[in-house]
Amino acid sequence: MKHQFTLPAFPESNFELDIAFWTGKQIIYKDNVAVERSTEKGKPFLIPDSNGEIVKAYAKPAYPDIVPVLVIDNNKYNIVEKLKWYEAVLVILPFSIVFIGGGALGGLIGAVGYIYNIQLLRNDDGKSLKYLKAIGVAIAAFAVYFLVSAVIWTWINP
């Protein structure tokens, strides 16, 4: 999942954040060149400025979103627009399987639906289409959970 953004401290540069779907690994590109990441606590990205100095940018979680915010000199910069409250509800909806007795199976299916819904809401489709797809993902997650649960139940109790 790639997200393009700009930073006020670098008005002449274009940035892109690439987040791996399965691992969550984050890579920032400044003008199509990968930015080095430090091994120090917090693992900041080391962004070189026009004077050759290094600016440390820390990626911090922005729940319920999986796209982090960047913290530079105690200032937070959103990489993507924050989710509206109703979008956050749509994102979290598949994960609610856990609360109906889902356990590990519900958590796994719900987490995949959660991540997929965030990606759906970040694409360029029209709003109504995005919301319909997100509702469809939630319904599909519940259907898959009940189907897999039924198969496991009949396998355990023949």
Side-chain angles (χ1 to χ4, degrees):
M1 193 166 39
K2 295 182 180 190
H3 306 281
Q4 294 182 349
F5 63 99
T6 57
L7 291 172
F10 302 92
E12 302 295 320
S13 297
N14 293 310
F15 291 89
E16 184 175 84
L17 173 67
D18 188 8
I19 303 173
F21 179 79
W22 292 108
T23 63
K25 182 179 177 181
Q26 303 167 355
I27 301 172
I28 290 182
Y29 296 93
K30 177 187 176 198
D31 299 324
N32 297 321
V33 177
V35 173
E36 185 181 343
R37 195 156 191 187
S38 174
T39 56
E40 71 181 72
K41 184 178 181 181
K43 296 188 175 185
F45 290 97
L46 306 174
I47 305 172
D49 66 9
S50 59
N51 299 330
E53 295 183 27
I54 300 295
V55 175
K56 293 182 181 180
Y58 295 87
K60 301 289 182 179
Y63 299 110
D65 212 331
I66 59 173
V67 179
V69 296
L70 286 182
V71 178
I72 302 173
D73 296 328
N74 292 324
N75 294 318
K76 289 184 179 180
Y77 299 99
N78 290 323
I79 293 173
V80 294
E81 186 180 331
K82 288 182 124 182
L83 293 172
K84 295 170 181 63
W85 70 269
Y86 51 87
E87 292 173 333
V89 169
L90 284 174
V91 164
I92 295 171
L93 193 59
F95 200 70
S96 64
I97 295 171
V98 172
F99 301 112
I100 61 166
L105 177 64
L108 176 67
I109 294 169
V112 170
Y114 166 85
I115 292 170
Y116 194 67
N117 266 353
I118 286 179
Q119 288 183 338
L120 280 174
L121 291 175
R122 294 277 182 232
N123 71 21
D124 294 332
D125 289 343
K127 285 187 178 186
S128 8
L129 183 59
K130 284 194 267 192
Y131 300 151
L132 286 173
K133 286 181 180 180
I135 291 168
V137 167
I139 292 169
F142 277 92
V144 167
Y145 169 72
F146 288 121
L147 179 66
V148 172
S149 296
V151 168
I152 290 173
W153 180 259
T154 55
W155 181 62
I156 292 173
N157 300 315

